[in-house]
Amino acid sequence: MPELTATADLMSPLNLFLQADVVVKAVMLGLLLASVWTWAIIFTHSIRLRQINRGTDKFESDFWATNDIDAFYSHRGTDRLPIAAVMSAALDEWRRSTKTKQVDRAGTRERLASRMNAAVATELDRLSDRLNILATVGSVAPFVGLFGTVWGIMRSFTAIAGANNTSLAVVAPGIAEALFATAIGLFAAIPAVIAYNRLTHGLDRLEAKLSRFADRFHATLSRELEVEVATGH
């Protein structure tokens, strides 16, 4: 029984790391740091996206309930929400395009659509920042772990050749530390891939929500444009 305990202790994750070759250690440390970075991105982006979705729903509900868009803009235009940026871009363009005596209705509609679409794209680019890190870790980490595995197995074969002994006791530590590198690679990659898909899906839903708001607000401003031109203001 003491022999088994000693062997189990030697095969513990900490001992596997300490006994590993410097190259395998570097691989393991790199993958562990990537995993920590991945989880930090997952938590911060998940919380942020949840808060933005909640704030967007409340903002849109309040916006369509108001009777004075200018007053709403003065009060809520500085909100740190993507939908507020879309609204601000639209109203800024509206004021620029309608301050002249002769209003170009077709041109105004085009510019409004362009500004709001650009605002949606800008906000989504800002929110998707660092998600490419998740994609990179998810695709690269298994291969980095595999590199550590191949290196460790090569060392095991070298140990066999040097000791002229093919017993399991000789090759087991090297193979174990090699496979441990692959395990760490998968530990880093799997959550990164899952989180990337989930967060990307969440951003796609937010984009659809912002696009619907932009289309609806564009229609509202288009109707207002007809009134402005008809009354000569």
Side-chain angles (χ1 to χ4, degrees):
M1 188 69 68
E3 236 179 81
L4 290 175
T5 305
T7 303
D9 289 340
L10 287 173
M11 294 298 177
S12 68
L14 179 59
N15 279 322
L16 288 175
F17 173 77
L18 294 175
Q19 294 165 12
D21 178 76
V22 63
V23 174
V24 181
K25 278 182 181 176
V27 168
M28 291 179 180
L29 282 175
L31 290 172
L32 286 172
L33 289 174
S35 180
V36 171
W37 196 6
T38 293
W39 280 107
I41 293 172
I42 291 171
F43 281 123
T44 54
H45 275 66
S46 297
I47 293 170
R48 187 182 181 190
L49 192 57
R50 192 177 301 117
Q51 290 174 342
I52 286 174
N53 272 308
R54 197 177 297 127
T56 298
D57 291 339
K58 180 70 168 59
F59 185 99
E60 187 172 10
S61 175
D62 293 343
F63 178 83
W64 294 120
T66 188
N67 293 319
D68 189 342
I69 292 179
D70 288 328
F72 185 87
Y73 171 71
S74 299
H75 180 57
R76 302 286 299 276
T78 57
D79 284 11
R80 299 185 64 180
L81 288 169
I83 194 170
V86 175
M87 177 194 71
S88 298
L91 289 177
D92 178 65
E93 184 56 46
W94 168 265
R95 288 170 179 173
R96 288 170 181 268
S97 296
T98 58
K99 68 181 180 181
T100 58
K101 291 183 179 179
Q102 294 294 327
V103 178
D104 179 7
R105 287 183 292 176
T108 298
R109 289 192 182 98
E110 271 187 39
R111 289 190 293 271
L112 284 170
S114 178
R115 283 290 300 274
M116 284 192 283
N117 289 336
V120 170
T122 300
E123 291 301 310
L124 288 171
D125 283 343
R126 184 175 60 83
L127 290 174
S128 62
D129 183 40
R130 297 191 178 180
L131 287 189
N132 62 319
I133 295 172
L134 297 182
T136 302
V137 171
S139 59
V140 172
F143 294 102
V144 176
L146 184 60
F147 168 75
T149 298
V150 172
W151 187 270
I153 290 175
M154 286 171 58
R155 285 188 66 239
S156 296
F157 284 133
T158 303
I160 292 172
N164 289 319
N165 188 347
T166 57
S167 69
L168 189 60
V170 174
V171 300
I175 292 176
E177 72 189 36
L179 294 175
F180 187 47
T182 296
I184 295 176
L186 294 174
F187 178 77
I190 293 172
V193 172
I194 294 173
Y196 177 79
N197 289 334
R198 291 297 303 165
L199 290 172
T200 302
H201 176 67
L203 286 177
D204 288 343
R205 292 182 63 187
L206 179 61
E207 181 181 11
K209 191 180 296 185
L210 293 176
S211 296
R212 285 194 298 269
F213 171 80
D215 289 342
R216 189 176 175 188
F217 192 27
H218 184 272
T220 300
L221 292 176
S222 292
R223 286 192 296 272
E224 185 66 23
L225 185 63
E226 296 291 342
V227 174
E228 292 271 343
V229 173
T231 58
H233 294 104

